[in-house]
Amino acid sequence: TLVPGLFACGEVACTGVHGANRLASNSLLEGLVFAERIGAVLASGLPARRPVVNLKPAAQLLDNAHRNQLQHIMSQRVGVLRSAHSMKSAVDELLPLLSQTSTDACTENWEMTNLHTVASAIAWSALRREETRGSHWREDFPQPRNVWLRRIVITADDKGELQENFENVPQVPDTKEVL
């Protein structure tokens, strides 16, 4: 990842090894290959520990009582088959959950807060990407479009607000050229 000392492999990684086809067997293979590489890096010495940073006061944690609602929104609106209408509905339905806060800093509320952040980033990015690529099917945009040969990168600013940026995807040479 871009965070020093934070490694990711398998389903959570953005390796580009398999392109946009993020099927289960592909991520399992990536997990095996890249986990071994991560292990080799860590075997040479762990990164220096840094102090924990508390970015959000407990009052801004979302109440885990709404987790099923969040999961339902994502399953029904941002699944494999998606459209602008379904994803716009997801974005609109996720927004009111931000007011469902808790002052209890328990693990479940931290998880709900993180799940909401990730769900919002996924729904917004999927809504913006007006194409079908790999197994990510847009019913209203059934073909891939070269204008979308780029990544949508979502980051959070100092206030926790999500920011959208675009990154060009390195072009892989055609297999025929390599041979």
Side-chain angles (χ1 to χ4, degrees):
T1 68
L2 297 175
V3 178
L6 179 63
F7 296 93
C9 65
E11 196 63 34
V12 300
C14 184
T15 63
V17 173
H18 295 289
N21 259 341
R22 298 296 302 184
L23 304 175
S25 60
N26 291 346
S27 60
L28 288 173
L29 291 172
E30 285 184 31
L32 288 171
V33 171
F34 290 104
E36 182 179 13
R37 293 180 184 183
I38 292 168
V41 169
L42 294 176
S44 66
L46 295 176
R49 295 189 132 224
R50 298 185 316 184
V52 175
V53 177
N54 186 3
L55 296 177
K56 294 183 179 182
Q60 292 181 329
L61 292 177
L62 299 185
D63 189 340
N64 189 57
H66 302 280
R67 182 183 283 207
N68 286 341
Q69 184 180 356
L70 181 140
Q71 291 172 330
H72 178 79
I73 291 167
M74 293 304 288
S75 294
Q76 295 300 309
R77 311 275 189 263
V78 194
V80 174
L81 297 177
R82 11 174 121 166
S83 67
H85 176 74
S86 71
M87 291 181 293
K88 176 74 169 93
S89 294
V91 169
D92 292 344
E93 291 173 35
L94 288 168
L95 200 54
L97 293 179
L98 287 173
S99 65
Q100 305 300 319
T101 60
S102 173
T103 56
D104 183 5
C106 66
T107 301
E108 292 81 7
N109 289 342
W110 277 103
E111 288 175 353
M112 176 61 183
T113 303
N114 292 338
L115 285 170
H116 187 277
T117 300
V118 171
S120 298
I122 289 171
W124 176 250
S125 297
L127 177 61
R128 293 278 287 136
R129 183 173 287 279
E130 296 177 336
E131 71 163 353
T132 289
R133 188 166 300 272
S135 60
H136 302 277
W137 185 266
R138 282 286 300 255
E139 295 174 316
D140 47 352
F141 292 96
Q143 300 299 320
R145 298 172 56 205
N146 286 340
V147 69
W148 284 105
L149 284 174
R150 56 188 177 154
R151 292 184 179 122
I152 300 172
V153 179
I154 305 291
T155 56
D157 64 16
D158 292 340
K159 295 178 184 176
E161 299 290 326
L162 298 182
Q163 305 294 315
E164 170 189 76
N165 294 296
F166 296 94
E167 222 177 62
N168 289 330
V169 176
Q171 296 300 307
V172 178
D174 186 9
T175 308
K176 295 173 189 169
E177 295 174 18
V178 175
L179 298 175

